[in-house]
Amino acid sequence: MKTIAGIDRQAYRLARDYLPSLGISGVTETLVEKYLNPVAAGSASCTMPALYERLLLSAQNANMKAGVIGGSIGGVDKLAAVLEDFDSAAVISKYGGDCEAMLDEIVATLKPRGQIRRTPRSIWPRYCQTISSGAAFFDQFDSAQDFFQWADFFDRDDRARASLAMLLSREIAGFGFALSCDFLKEIGYVNFPKPDVHLRDIFKALRLCDDQADDYQLFKAIIRLANNANVSPYHADKVFWLVGSGYFYRDENIGSEGRIGSKKQDFIEFKPPGSFSPVVDMVGGGPFCLEPGQWTDDTSMALCLADSLVACRGFDARDQMERYVRWRDEGYLSSNGICFDIGTTVSRALGRFLRTGDPFAGSVSPNAAGNGSLMRLAPAPLFFASNPEQAVQMSAESSRTTHGAATCLDACRYFGGLIVGAVQGASKEELLSSQYTPVDGLWSHMPLCAEIFDIASGSFKRKEPPDIVGSGYVVKSLEAALWAFHKSSTFEAGVNLGNDADTTAAIYGQIAGAYYGLEGIPASWRERISHAGLIAELARGLYASRTDSAGRSLE
């Protein structure tokens, strides 16, 4: 079982190697390395004006201010003309805390581009508050060395370190915890990673921090990862920030003025078809740093559903939701003992269930039509396969716990019917015929919604990538999986569509497994699958429920 420390190390290594692996002109190992070396804290060349300017440079990074502040005047350094060369005492003497007078002079002297709004919550008035309170803060110190000695007092003690950033965030207006960390990091304090939006997105997606983590909790998660990866927090911060921002700010010759665009979404998981070498074996790695044979959230939820059906000897929505919650909170039926990935729609449904007690907690909004119920579906139609009409109905019921949108319900009904037909021995041609159902006339008196009806009518046969795309939308996922099944001649041939790769493959794997059978799965894959005994036991339990069904054996 992989520990948090192991996951941290692999996540760091993947991020460290990621950008040079993309083949982007100029983005090399040497280039990335250049951004990982901080200045030394307390550098002899650092002066009080330099500290003040650096603070104002960090402050403009809040809420996209960089373009409005520095971008409109040609850089924060231009403020020297109205801030007495960043002499904090002189700024206090000149303006005395009068931010309106300060803004008047900025406008008159520097002539910022664009409209200058003067309401209290507008960017320039708030930035002037930061300038003024920053001057007052630095005026407490006799010299830069005095400031560094004070900051060192906090930095030396792991238990007190974070309080330095918290103190700065209270002393300086508009300077929150994250910006305080950015300032400290950029003046050489390598133990202060900035918990910014790029790192938040990546850490949450890879389950390196809690979904609800605030800036301080993300700060602690970055430090934990850095310690486990044996690098400084500054180093870890820069690696993930470069992936997230795609901005090589010291090298304008790279991309477009140093920008190659954010790569965090590709890094996290999604890659378009054709952008990667085809998968021909069961391999490890990926965004969640898994070992070969370990599975993601798709299979964990399917196992929870199967375990519930077998244990309860029938459909018990409450029991299913309780098992999903155990998976989320305890790593129950996870391949590595932790829940390292969970979809937004599923997460919200589980939260709703815990608040209300209603097990049918799936949102009915069309905007919540994700693929999270389709990806885990197979146990439901398999359990009820002896009664195909009931199997179709219970397929939809299994979706309602977390995904109540009509497209999700109908995707599960149609796909559940395909799975039943496959285990009953229907040919591929029959399964993929227009509007197939294992029950004659079923779609006449229980019609499918338009999007799923189009798929059932063969839309997947008329398209090719990039029109076929395995996204998080249930309609696209179902269409992509059936396209792969239509095109494949073996079980392993349908796992290379990319994008939401694990879920597309999980959906494909359900129909492919039902059709090709156990022997159709490569022996080397079966031998390496994690917890194979548990899966076999649950499969036998599902099979035993089909007391009078015809079709091929799953044993």
Side-chain angles (χ1 to χ4, degrees):
M1 182 180 298
K2 190 172 290 297
T3 63
I4 288 292
I7 291 173
D8 282 345
R9 285 191 291 271
Q10 289 202 29
Y12 165 77
R13 191 69 253 172
L14 285 170
R16 179 70 177 80
D17 296 339
Y18 184 68
L19 291 175
S21 75
L22 295 178
I24 297 173
S25 178
V27 180
T28 63
E29 177 76 18
T30 301
L31 178 72
V32 172
E33 187 68 31
K34 182 170 76 171
Y35 286 80
L36 306 183
N37 299 315
V39 299
S43 170
S45 62
C46 192
T47 63
M48 287 299 289
L51 286 174
Y52 188 21
E53 181 180 359
R54 177 61 248 187
L55 182 140
L56 298 182
L57 191 61
S58 289
Q60 70 163 350
N61 290 326
N63 302 321
M64 305 301 290
K65 287 180 185 174
V68 177
I69 303 296
S72 69
I73 60 175
V76 168
D77 60 304
K78 298 298 190 296
L79 288 170
V82 296
L83 299 182
E84 307 299 306
D85 290 324
F86 298 105
D87 183 327
S88 58
V91 169
I92 294 171
S93 176
K94 182 176 182 179
Y95 298 109
D98 188 342
C99 292
E100 288 190 15
M102 182 188 298
L103 183 53
D104 286 341
E105 183 160 353
I106 289 173
V107 171
T109 305
L110 301 178
K111 297 178 173 53
R113 294 192 302 273
Q115 182 180 4
I116 304 299
R117 299 182 183 276
R118 290 178 176 264
T119 57
R121 300 300 299 167
S122 296
I123 289 178
W124 269 108
R126 291 168 62 191
Y127 192 66
C128 288
Q129 291 281 349
T130 302
I131 294 173
S132 181
S133 57
F137 172 75
F138 281 120
D139 198 47
Q140 302 175 81
F141 301 98
D142 295 331
S143 64
Q145 195 61 32
D146 186 24
F147 167 81
F148 282 116
Q149 288 176 353
W150 172 78
D152 287 347
F153 172 80
F154 294 92
D155 188 49
R156 282 193 295 266
D157 190 335
D158 291 346
R159 299 163 298 180
R161 185 174 295 125
S163 60
L164 174 57
M166 293 177 181
L167 190 153
L168 288 176
S169 72
R170 299 303 296 269
E171 290 280 336
I172 302 168
F175 211 62
F177 182 80
L179 293 181
S180 298
C181 290
D182 182 66
F183 166 66
L184 292 166
K185 167 172 65 76
E186 295 302 330
I187 62 172
Y189 286 102
V190 299
N191 292 314
F192 286 89
K194 179 188 177 185
D196 85 337
V197 63
H198 297 300
L199 275 76
R200 180 180 302 281
D201 288 346
I202 294 173
F203 271 58
K204 284 173 62 177
L206 300 188
R207 302 291 292 175
L208 299 172
C209 72
D210 187 78
D211 276 349
Q212 305 303 318
D214 59 20
D215 284 348
Y216 175 69
Q217 291 165 327
L218 177 57
F219 169 85
K220 298 288 284 186
I222 299 167
I223 291 175
R224 184 205 68 228
L225 179 142
N227 289 338
N228 287 332
N230 198 30
V231 297
S232 72
Y234 177 96
H235 187 115
D237 170 293
K238 285 293 186 182
V239 165
F240 285 99
W241 185 84
L242 286 170
V243 171
S245 69
Y247 184 26
F248 291 89
Y249 50 90
R250 300 177 191 166
D251 296 88
E252 293 187 357
N253 61 311
I254 300 297
S256 175
E257 297 183 340
R259 299 179 186 274
I260 62 171
S262 173
K263 302 300 177 185
K264 62 187 171 188
Q265 198 63 31
D266 288 344
F267 171 72
I268 289 168
E269 179 175 10
F270 298 87
K271 297 182 180 180
S275 68
F276 53 90
S277 300
V279 176
V280 295
D281 196 6
M282 182 178 286
V283 296
F288 304 117
C289 312
L290 300 179
E291 300 291 343
Q294 290 184 326
W295 58 77
T296 60
D297 57 328
D298 315 71
T299 301
S300 290
M301 295 196 77
L303 292 176
C304 287
L305 176 57
D307 200 26
S308 176
L309 290 165
V310 172
C312 298
R313 298 186 178 182
F315 190 94
D316 186 326
R318 179 174 297 279
D319 184 78
Q320 291 166 29
M321 290 294 274
E322 288 173 349
R323 291 174 194 269
Y324 296 151
V325 170
R326 284 183 60 194
W327 159 66
R328 184 195 69 178
D329 294 347
E330 304 170 16
Y332 171 67
L333 294 178
S334 165
S335 60
N336 64 2
I338 60 173
C339 174
F340 50 82
D341 183 32
I342 185 170
T344 301
T345 305
V346 170
S347 181
R348 289 175 177 170
L350 297 184
R352 195 175 297 118
F353 165 65
L354 292 175
R355 290 193 305 272
T356 67
D358 181 3
F360 293 109
S363 171
V364 299
S365 168
N367 295 325
N371 54 24
S373 60
L374 189 65
M375 71 186 188
R376 65 173 190 251
L377 176 67
L382 290 176
F383 187 88
F384 295 101
S386 61
N387 184 334
E389 186 165 356
Q390 185 184 22
V392 169
Q393 177 188 350
M394 300 315 292
S395 292
E397 290 297 289
S398 76
S399 178
R400 289 180 59 217
T401 53
T402 58
H403 293 70
T407 45
C408 296
L409 303 184
D410 282 2
C412 288
R413 287 202 298 139
Y414 172 61
F415 198 58
L418 291 179
I419 292 172
V420 170
V423 297
Q424 289 183 340
S427 67
K428 182 180 285 193
E429 181 180 9
E430 184 181 0
L431 290 170
L432 299 182
S433 63
S434 183
Q435 300 163 46
Y436 171 82
T437 169
V439 181
D440 289 342
L442 183 62
W443 306 140
S444 296
H445 69 272
M446 296 176 62
L448 299 168
C449 66
E451 297 93 332
I452 305 304
F453 181 83
D454 187 46
I455 293 174
S457 299
S459 67
F460 55 89
K461 297 179 182 179
R462 303 187 294 270
K463 299 179 182 179
E464 296 290 337
D467 293 324
I468 292 290
V469 55
S471 74
Y473 178 37
V474 67
V475 173
K476 292 294 187 181
S477 293
L478 176 59
E479 188 176 55
L482 291 180
W483 179 89
F485 182 55
H486 172 56
K487 294 288 187 179
S488 72
S489 57
T490 62
F491 178 88
E492 64 269 32
V495 298
N496 285 294
L497 270 175
N499 291 295
D500 193 0
D502 63 329
T503 299
T504 303
I507 298 168
Y508 163 81
Q510 294 175 68
I511 185 63
Y515 178 76
Y516 293 114
L518 181 62
E519 294 305 317
I521 302 173
S524 62
W525 291 20
R526 300 199 306 267
E527 291 166 0
R528 280 184 283 175
I529 194 72
S530 293
H531 307 291
L534 169 65
I535 294 174
E537 181 181 353
L538 288 174
R540 284 191 289 269
L542 294 172
Y543 182 77
S545 71
R546 300 169 63 238
T547 55
D548 61 349
S549 63
R552 69 189 71 186
S553 171
L554 300 182
E555 294 183 327

